[in-house]
Amino acid sequence: MKQQQLIFNERPNGLPNASTFAIKEVKVGSPKQDQLLLKTLYISVDPYMRGRMADGPSYISPFQIGEPLNGGVVGQVITSESNQFQQGDIVTGMLDFQEYHIVNADQVRKVNTFGLRPSVALGPLGMPGLTAYFGMMHIGEPKQGETVVISGAAGAVGQIAGQLAKRAGARVIGIVGSEEKAAYVTETLGYDHAIQYKHGDVHKQLKQACPNGIDVYFENVGGEIGDAVWPLLNAFARIPVCGAISSYNLKEGERDIGVRVQTYLIKARAKMQGFLVGDYTEHFKEAYEELGKAIASGELKYEETIREGFESIPDAFIGLFTGENIGKQLVKVAEQE
Amino acid sequence: MKQQQLIFNERPNGLPNASTFAIKEVKVGSPKQDQLLLKTLYISVDPYMRGRMADGPSYISPFQIGEPLNGGVVGQVITSESNQFQQGDIVTGMLDFQEYHIVNADQVRKVNTFGLRPSVALGPLGMPGLTAYFGMMHIGEPKQGETVVISGAAGAVGQIAGQLAKRAGARVIGIVGSEEKAAYVTETLGYDHAIQYKHGDVHKQLKQACPNGIDVYFENVGGEIGDAVWPLLNAFARIPVCGAISSYNLKEGERDIGVRVQTYLIKARAKMQGFLVGDYTEHFKEAYEELGKAIASGELKYEETIREGFESIPDAFIGLFTGENIGKQLVKVAEQE
């Protein structure tokens, strides 16, 4: 039995394109003792994967040319040779991008979907949702009446981060890249205001939208958008730095040049903290329960942008950097059985 | 009786110069009930004062044209109309820059000099020493065996910050601007290594001096020096941001442009935090005691650069930005009686 596998074909210089990827046909294989055969249902494409396409040390190993890409996958157990899993179980893990998987039982975990579509395990109940949770609740710590600004506000992380700040009683302003996203964050998610960065001077727009300054800035974008925020920071502002997507596609030798932040941090006695969801594993369980209940009850909303078919992974990934997705970008590979 | 007063004459555009200042003759006056007549012994000039020379809101009110400059002063009580002070007492406070002062008793506090020259109240036992203490101990939190880098390492704050890190068992690298300062931080202060930023590529020098990366970067300078540090940050690095002296003399409309820090903070999950000594008042007493004992016993060393005479304040201040001082820059105005 043959399947498709997505190969990392070429290191991109700048924005990834079709030749960054290649599709290979490989054999499926069969599970041994304590192994599972999984069918891929959903594949997650995420901006952080761009970092793995560069060579050099980081918190996560770089992709190797000629080897499969790898990331968040939701699959269904087809054959179980483990007493921990049954046929039909929905599981998730960090797996190679291919249609089927032979995995050891400890490489995946069963998903409690709270009755929702299993894709939630890659979005609001997966890495993006937990990232939003820890960044906002453990670093941002929004308080009643404070002003919270979120860049990439309609994205997989931003959509959850902003609602958590609303729930804490803050005034929430989302920075987004389109009319449709502005409507989504204000009408569906309940943010107080949306700023469209393509509508000109972000600093001016922010100044108008934040007459009392900014207490929390949840950073997903960086670049000129971050620069527009610094002069508006209030005393003891917090800046969880989740991402800086505007700089991920710099070409070789280019540096991310802009406003240096030090004087603004001193003036505001502000704290700016980079973080990764993986640093909070000891709190995963409580966060997962809290998010799961809030999402299942409809208290927290979310959106998914889903492309169909294994071969659409490259386009789905590239679209992350051109702002095509609202909420979590996924690729649906197969129907659940 | 007449005295000299230093007036803020003109907002500087770029580096302050002689016309930034003017000297005025004013009357001394005499103290009323609960007031003191003080003679100025030492005046502190500090880089943060440059911020007060700009117009616009900050954590501290801007200097007003035509009004006296103001800052840290150590004085001696000449006449006391307060039962809290006696003639001869050594006191300190934030006072206008002039030779004598009529102050309310609650505007100054008595100095415990631990038997040292009273100027210590403006240096290692004053704002710079306490700033170093809180930045290093409360934000930097150096641990045994970690690597700590300090910019402006031979300055009033840097000289104390680095020794506190050494005392905590860290390996300490100081970035300095001259051969003489390099010798001071390694030979007198006991830092493990000094880097001279005028000797070329700071990033390369740092990489060589920090084979295990950087765990704490105490930021006094900013600019290209900070930029050279970011790629070397270790996981969970801490960056107390005390100052960014390289950017204080930007001309009107100029912005501090350089490497944006967000991606580095994410990679390292690092925390970068601006702070002001005034945020730690509740811990002043314990810090003062600890520093005082360590300085009096000779465990912590310090250096002062002292200019003589009230009229030398402008030159002393300007010299802060051209790197003339080792340790704390002071102006000695009068002899203690």
Side-chain angles (χ1 to χ4, degrees):
Chain A
M1 192 171 148
K2 291 269 189 180
Q3 62 167 333
Q4 298 184 91
Q5 188 182 57
L6 192 68
I7 297 293
F8 184 43
N9 185 55
E10 189 182 283
R11 293 202 191 285
N13 186 16
L15 189 67
N17 57 43
S19 60
T20 307
F21 309 91
I23 283 181
K24 191 171 161 183
E25 290 233 312
V26 296
K27 271 207 292 203
V28 173
S30 49
K32 297 183 195 131
Q33 181 63 36
D34 293 323
Q35 289 190 325
L36 311 170
L37 170 64
L38 307 178
K39 183 172 76 168
T40 299
L41 302 180
Y42 294 96
I43 276 176
S44 176
V45 290
D46 298 279
Y48 81 85
M49 291 169 55
R50 180 63 183 83
R52 299 188 72 182
M53 292 180 172
D55 207 357
S58 187
Y59 56 88
I60 186 165
S61 58
F63 292 130
Q64 297 303 317
I65 301 291
E67 296 292 315
L69 291 164
N70 176 289
V73 169
V74 161
Q76 189 165 27
V77 177
I78 303 295
T79 312
S80 173
E81 300 295 342
S82 159
N83 53 21
Q84 295 171 66
F85 292 90
Q86 292 199 310
Q87 190 182 345
D89 279 351
I90 302 295
V91 299
T92 188
M94 289 290 285
L95 300 175
D96 289 347
F97 284 0
Q98 51 193 37
E99 292 174 286
Y100 294 89
H101 308 267
I102 304 293
V103 298
N104 297 327
D106 61 3
Q107 278 180 271
V108 294
R109 58 178 177 77
K110 255 184 259 193
V111 174
N112 173 7
T113 61
F114 289 85
L116 302 161
R117 183 160 58 182
S119 59
V120 291
L122 299 174
L125 287 182
M127 185 273 287
L130 290 168
T131 299
Y133 184 90
F134 294 114
M136 186 57 80
M137 303 313 287
H138 287 231
I139 300 175
E141 299 185 86
K143 287 167 199 67
Q144 183 76 34
E146 286 192 330
T147 300
V148 174
V149 172
I150 297 165
S151 57
V157 174
Q159 66 177 350
I160 303 299
Q163 291 181 90
L164 291 173
K166 277 304 296 176
R167 207 163 69 143
R171 202 169 155 264
V172 175
I173 284 89
I175 306 177
V176 297
S178 74
E179 206 73 55
E180 192 188 357
K181 290 176 181 175
Y184 171 59
V185 301
T186 52
E187 290 163 25
T188 304
L189 303 183
Y191 293 7
D192 297 276
H193 187 72
I195 284 174
Q196 291 187 51
Y197 69 83
K198 291 173 184 166
H199 285 188
D201 193 325
V202 176
H203 177 71
K204 262 192 203 157
Q205 291 188 69
L206 273 173
K207 203 170 172 179
Q208 206 153 37
C210 305
N212 301 319
I214 296 170
D215 299 294
V216 178
Y217 173 54
F218 194 104
E219 174 71 289
N220 284 312
V221 173
E224 293 177 10
I225 296 195
D227 293 352
V229 169
W230 314 145
L232 298 171
L233 294 174
N234 284 337
F236 307 109
R238 289 83 66 198
I239 308 155
V241 184
C242 172
I245 196 170
S246 70
S247 73
Y248 293 173
N249 290 305
L250 292 178
K251 297 198 173 161
E252 212 167 321
E254 281 180 349
R255 303 175 84 188
D256 185 25
I257 298 297
V259 173
R260 290 196 184 98
V261 77
Q262 288 100 312
T263 48
Y264 299 103
L265 293 184
I266 299 170
K267 276 185 194 171
R269 297 100 115 189
K271 179 181 75 170
M272 189 172 187
Q273 190 166 353
F275 71 102
L276 295 175
V277 66
D279 301 331
Y280 296 88
T281 45
E282 58 177 316
H283 300 291
F284 269 18
K285 214 181 147 190
E286 72 203 51
Y288 192 89
E289 283 296 312
E290 192 179 332
L291 286 174
K293 284 176 191 158
I295 286 163
S297 74
E299 188 194 352
L300 291 182
K301 322 282 185 207
Y302 69 100
E303 191 57 78
E304 293 169 328
T305 300
I306 300 185
R307 286 191 183 242
E308 302 273 340
F310 188 85
E311 57 292 335
S312 67
I313 300 172
D315 284 347
F317 179 69
I318 294 164
L320 293 171
F321 302 104
T322 52
E324 286 182 19
N325 57 305
I326 292 196
K328 178 67 191 127
Q329 178 68 57
L330 296 164
V331 176
K332 184 175 174 184
V333 175
E335 285 294 343
Q336 186 174 346
E337 280 173 20
Chain B
M1 193 171 148
K2 291 271 191 179
Q3 63 167 330
Q4 296 184 92
Q5 188 182 59
L6 191 69
I7 297 294
F8 184 43
N9 185 56
E10 189 182 284
R11 291 201 193 286
N13 186 15
L15 189 67
N17 57 42
S19 61
T20 307
F21 308 91
I23 282 181
K24 193 172 158 182
E25 290 234 310
V26 295
K27 273 207 292 206
V28 173
S30 50
K32 295 183 197 134
Q33 181 63 35
D34 294 323
Q35 288 191 326
L36 312 168
L37 170 64
L38 307 178
K39 183 172 79 168
T40 299
L41 302 181
Y42 293 96
I43 276 176
S44 175
V45 290
D46 297 280
Y48 81 87
M49 291 170 56
R50 180 63 183 83
R52 300 189 71 182
M53 292 181 172
D55 209 357
S58 186
Y59 57 88
I60 186 165
S61 57
F63 292 131
Q64 297 302 317
I65 300 291
E67 295 293 314
L69 291 163
N70 175 291
V73 169
V74 160
Q76 188 166 27
V77 177
I78 303 294
T79 313
S80 172
E81 300 295 343
S82 159
N83 52 22
Q84 295 171 64
F85 292 90
Q86 293 196 311
Q87 191 182 342
D89 278 352
I90 301 296
V91 299
T92 187
M94 289 289 285
L95 300 175
D96 289 346
F97 284 0
Q98 52 194 36
E99 292 174 286
Y100 293 89
H101 308 268
I102 304 294
V103 297
N104 297 328
D106 61 3
Q107 277 180 271
V108 294
R109 58 179 178 77
K110 257 183 258 194
V111 174
N112 173 6
T113 60
F114 289 83
L116 303 160
R117 184 159 59 179
S119 58
V120 289
L122 299 174
L125 286 181
M127 185 273 286
L130 290 167
T131 298
Y133 184 90
F134 294 113
M136 186 56 80
M137 303 313 287
H138 287 233
I139 301 175
E141 299 186 85
K143 285 167 200 67
Q144 184 75 36
E146 287 192 330
T147 300
V148 175
V149 172
I150 297 165
S151 58
V157 174
Q159 67 177 349
I160 304 299
Q163 291 180 90
L164 291 172
K166 276 305 295 176
R167 208 163 68 145
R171 202 169 156 266
V172 175
I173 284 90
I175 306 176
V176 297
S178 73
E179 205 74 55
E180 192 187 358
K181 289 175 182 175
Y184 171 58
V185 301
T186 51
E187 289 163 25
T188 305
L189 303 183
Y191 293 8
D192 298 276
H193 187 72
I195 283 173
Q196 293 187 50
Y197 70 83
K198 291 173 184 167
H199 286 188
D201 193 324
V202 176
H203 177 72
K204 260 192 205 159
Q205 291 188 68
L206 273 172
K207 204 170 171 179
Q208 206 154 37
C210 305
N212 300 319
I214 296 171
D215 299 293
V216 177
Y217 173 53
F218 194 103
E219 173 71 291
N220 284 311
V221 172
E224 293 176 10
I225 295 194
D227 294 352
V229 168
W230 315 145
L232 299 172
L233 294 174
N234 283 337
F236 307 109
R238 291 82 67 197
I239 308 155
V241 184
C242 172
I245 196 170
S246 71
S247 72
Y248 293 173
N249 290 305
L250 292 179
K251 296 196 174 164
E252 213 168 321
E254 282 181 348
R255 303 176 84 188
D256 186 24
I257 298 297
V259 174
R260 290 196 184 100
V261 76
Q262 288 99 312
T263 48
Y264 299 103
L265 294 185
I266 299 170
K267 275 185 195 172
R269 298 100 114 187
K271 179 180 76 171
M272 189 173 187
Q273 190 166 355
F275 72 100
L276 296 174
V277 65
D279 301 330
Y280 295 89
T281 46
E282 58 176 316
H283 299 291
F284 269 19
K285 213 181 147 192
E286 72 204 50
Y288 193 90
E289 283 297 312
E290 192 177 332
L291 287 174
K293 283 174 192 162
I295 286 164
S297 74
E299 188 194 353
L300 291 182
K301 321 283 185 206
Y302 68 99
E303 191 57 78
E304 294 170 328
T305 300
I306 300 186
R307 285 188 181 245
E308 301 274 339
F310 188 86
E311 58 292 337
S312 68
I313 300 172
D315 284 347
F317 179 69
I318 294 164
L320 293 172
F321 302 104
T322 52
E324 287 182 18
N325 57 304
I326 291 195
K328 178 69 192 124
Q329 178 68 57
L330 295 165
V331 176
K332 184 175 175 184
V333 175
E335 284 295 341
Q336 185 175 347
E337 281 172 19

